[in-house]
Amino acid sequence: MRGLHSQEAAHQQRLSRQVNHLAVVEKPALMSPFEKAADYGHAKVTKHVAQSFGLSVFAGAFIALAFVFYLTVTTGSAQSSWGLVRFSGGVAFSLGLILVVVLGGELFTSTVLSAIAWAQKRVTTRQLLYCWMRVYLGNLCGAMLILLLVMMSKMHGLDGNEWGLNALHVAQHKIHHDWSQAFALGTLCNLLVCLGVWMTFSCKDALAKSLLLILPVAMFVSSGFEHSIANLFMVPLGIAIQHFAGNEYFIALGVAPQLFADLTISNFVLHNLIPVTLGNILGGAVFVGLGYYWIDNKGVKALNNAPSLHISPFNDTYVGTHQHIHTPELQQNLSVSESLQQNDVSAHIQHQPSKEYLAMKNKIQKLIVSELMDSKPTMLSIDMTLYQALILLANDNVRSAPVVDSKQQLLGFVSEQDLMRSLWSEEFSATLPLSVKDIMQTKMLTVSPTENVAQLLEFMVVDKKKLFPVTDSGMYISGGYQSYEERLRDASAAVPSVYPVVENGRLCGVIRREALLTMFAKYYCPKHDGKSHPVEQQSVA
């Protein structure tokens, strides 16, 4: 009710019949950067071929444009500080990776992180290599497209031909590395690229992602590390200038064309592209991707071998037993916020509860909605006037009611607030709605008769973002230290207290927070023996 996103819930329900009503409206479980990286890699490998190739072309073009920016920034700076010039060029080049990440391009040097999905056996070796090949070729096409446009625009003549001379020197420098040097520089480059991309998994904001990428990219560019896709544009640009600029160009510069005679395709491929590409794979796929995969696997094994906590949804007691975390979000929050976990556990470890107490807890956790719902609730029809609905709610002493048709199909929901707001507006509006149809809420949150009551209770009363105030990456974001009890007092959930119970679109009843309160009163009564079912003693409406 009251503006909740039922369309999203309905979509999720269609995806899986196993998913219950409440699970689809809760916020999704927090994912660690490693889990996001694994999904990121898997998505790249399994993406449609045409879509993947098209995005790869864009990524190659983005990186080529970034190198154009680099050349423009660094041209004519011979008298300036070497380090500062390189740094400014590196910052300019970071535009390329920012465009790739924010706009969703497929770049070979970050795509190698899909090695994580391969290590998890989510994709085959053939799928992985095919993905890398198509992305590499797409990047090449994008780079060649920008190269063609740059040559057609005669950008090499900028700053009295100095722009082109700068490009020639950069390209020639790249083919003069020996194999081991080029391989090592390629490894260092993609180590930084993939770490930069990895950092973006910890945030969702595009500006934050962009800022995180600047320094890793600026470092690898200013330090002279080798990026295979950037080189697919940079070295061919030097070759194109050397072959097509004409003798007049070199005469104007006062430079002999023979000085750049070694700028050939064969020298580029053999002395730069192959070792740099292999180094990029080692730095990104092995050092970052498989390195974090190994670390994560060790962590999972240690967690599986260690005793953990039984966390009841009612948060009374922490019992040292086998691992049983009721919700993925709660498990993630506890694992990423170590300091909160240690303080909370030390504050709540108590003596071993009695068998009667554990039996009572077990009964509560097995309750389902149909056992506590009001199966004969007050219902409204769509053609009732506001005044009829108001009188009916007042006489039945309820604060809200579902709106149904003659076949008990749920149409909407009306609360006392909806009614009274409309009556209040009578003083100011000349078009006051006269029927329930005009004011009922059609976006509703519903539950099924087989819904687990413990889960419903948790959803009703606890805002876990407030209870465990940490970011996706595990950073504590509260204003200051608070104990578990202090956070729990402030962790009230801003959700409805009444839910229609629906099965196949038909209203079966409603469940109210008061019913859960009555259930707790019965179970926690000192005279209660913890064995009989509260519904067996007295029906709760």
Side-chain angles (χ1 to χ4, degrees), residues 313-383:
F314 307 107
N315 293 312
D316 285 335
T317 307
Y318 286 69
V319 183
T321 61
H322 64 285
Q323 182 179 4
H324 186 77
I325 307 292
H326 283 273
T327 64
E329 183 177 356
L330 182 57
Q331 180 179 9
Q332 176 69 14
N333 278 326
L334 287 173
S335 65
V336 299
S337 184
E338 182 179 357
S339 61
L340 293 180
Q341 183 188 58
Q342 291 174 344
N343 291 329
D344 295 343
V345 171
S346 63
H348 287 81
I349 293 179
Q350 302 177 359
H351 63 276
Q352 184 73 19
S354 65
K355 292 182 179 180
E356 291 78 10
Y357 179 81
L358 290 176
M360 177 185 69
K361 288 285 213 179
N362 190 46
K363 285 181 180 291
I364 290 175
Q365 294 184 35
K366 289 182 178 179
L367 285 175
I368 59 176
V369 166
S370 61
E371 297 177 277
L372 296 180
M373 73 180 185
D374 179 0
S375 59
K376 296 181 179 180
T378 299
M379 293 181 289
L380 305 176
S381 65
I382 199 169
D383 56 352

Side-chain angles (χ1 to χ4, degrees), residues 434-449:
L434 298 177
S435 69
V436 166
K437 178 182 179 180
D438 298 314
I439 67 165
M440 68 180 184
Q441 301 287 341
T442 56
K443 294 182 179 180
M444 299 166 288
L445 175 61
T446 64
V447 296
S448 72

Side-chain angles (χ1 to χ4, degrees), residues 56-57 59-61 64 138-148 229-230 232-233:
S56 302
V57 173
N139 291 166
L140 172 62
C141 291
M144 292 300 99
L145 176 63
I146 300 301
L147 173 61
L148 176 63
I229 305 306
L232 283 175
F233 169 77

Side-chain angles (χ1 to χ4, degrees), residues 247-539:
N247 289 330
E248 299 81 4
Y249 178 80
F250 290 97
I251 292 172
L253 280 172
V255 176
Q258 292 75 17
L259 290 176
F260 303 101
D262 54 353
L263 280 173
T264 63
I265 296 295
S266 59
N267 280 341
F268 167 49
V269 172
L270 294 176
H271 299 141
N272 182 274
L273 191 60
I274 292 176
V276 167
T277 299
L278 294 175
N280 287 168
I281 293 172
L282 177 66
V286 179
F287 285 178
V288 178
L290 298 184
Y292 270 109
Y293 169 77
W294 180 82
I295 293 169
D296 186 78
N297 259 9
K298 291 297 182 182
V300 170
K301 290 179 181 178
L303 183 63
N304 291 337
N305 293 333
S308 58
L309 301 174
H310 175 95
I311 301 179
S312 168
F314 307 107
N315 293 312
D316 285 335
T317 307
Y318 286 69
V319 183
T321 61
H322 64 285
Q323 182 179 4
H324 186 77
I325 307 292
H326 283 273
T327 64
E329 183 177 356
L330 182 57
Q331 180 179 9
Q332 176 69 14
N333 278 326
L334 287 173
S335 65
V336 299
S337 184
E338 182 179 357
S339 61
L340 293 180
Q341 183 188 58
Q342 291 174 344
N343 291 329
D344 295 343
V345 171
S346 63
H348 287 81
I349 293 179
Q350 302 177 359
H351 63 276
Q352 184 73 19
S354 65
K355 292 182 179 180
E356 291 78 10
Y357 179 81
L358 290 176
M360 177 185 69
K361 288 285 213 179
N362 190 46
K363 285 181 180 291
I364 290 175
Q365 294 184 35
K366 289 182 178 179
L367 285 175
I368 59 176
V369 166
S370 61
E371 297 177 277
L372 296 180
M373 73 180 185
D374 179 0
S375 59
K376 296 181 179 180
T378 299
M379 293 181 289
L380 305 176
S381 65
I382 199 169
D383 56 352
M384 274 187 175
T385 67
L386 300 187
Y387 308 103
Q388 290 173 325
L390 183 66
I391 292 170
L392 183 58
L393 263 60
N395 289 342
D396 291 354
N397 195 28
V398 293
R399 297 191 300 172
S400 54
V403 182
V404 297
D405 61 15
S406 59
K407 297 180 180 181
Q408 293 290 96
Q409 297 290 315
L410 182 64
L411 303 176
F413 204 89
V414 172
S415 70
E416 61 182 1
Q417 187 181 37
D418 297 326
L419 288 167
M420 297 176 72
R421 183 171 59 250
S422 296
L423 294 173
W424 170 83
S425 69
E426 189 175 271
E427 296 291 332
F428 310 99
S429 176
T431 57
L432 178 69
L434 298 177
S435 69
V436 166
K437 178 182 179 180
D438 298 314
I439 67 165
M440 68 180 184
Q441 301 287 341
T442 56
K443 294 182 179 180
M444 299 166 288
L445 175 61
T446 64
V447 296
S448 72
T450 57
E451 198 77 62
N452 183 269
V453 168
Q455 185 181 6
L456 174 61
L457 173 68
E458 181 183 87
F459 179 77
M460 277 188 178
V461 302
V462 179
D463 184 339
K464 288 181 284 185
K465 281 288 188 181
K466 295 178 182 177
L467 186 59
F468 300 100
V470 292
T471 64
D472 290 357
S473 57
M475 182 179 296
Y476 182 58
I477 57 175
S478 180
Y481 172 78
Q482 286 182 303
S483 67
Y484 177 84
E485 292 83 359
E486 290 172 324
R487 296 197 310 274
L488 184 61
R489 281 196 295 270
D490 296 331
S492 59
V495 297
S497 61
V498 184
Y499 299 84
V501 183
V502 178
E503 188 171 30
N504 298 324
R506 183 177 177 275
L507 183 73
C508 304
V510 298
I511 185 164
R512 305 177 187 275
R513 194 157 51 200
E514 292 85 346
L516 275 66
L517 184 66
T518 304
M519 176 267 293
F520 274 113
K522 290 181 179 294
Y523 268 125
Y524 282 89
C525 178
K527 295 180 181 180
H528 182 61
D529 59 8
K531 297 178 181 178
S532 61
H533 196 289
V535 180
E536 296 169 357
Q537 295 181 352
Q538 181 178 346
S539 176

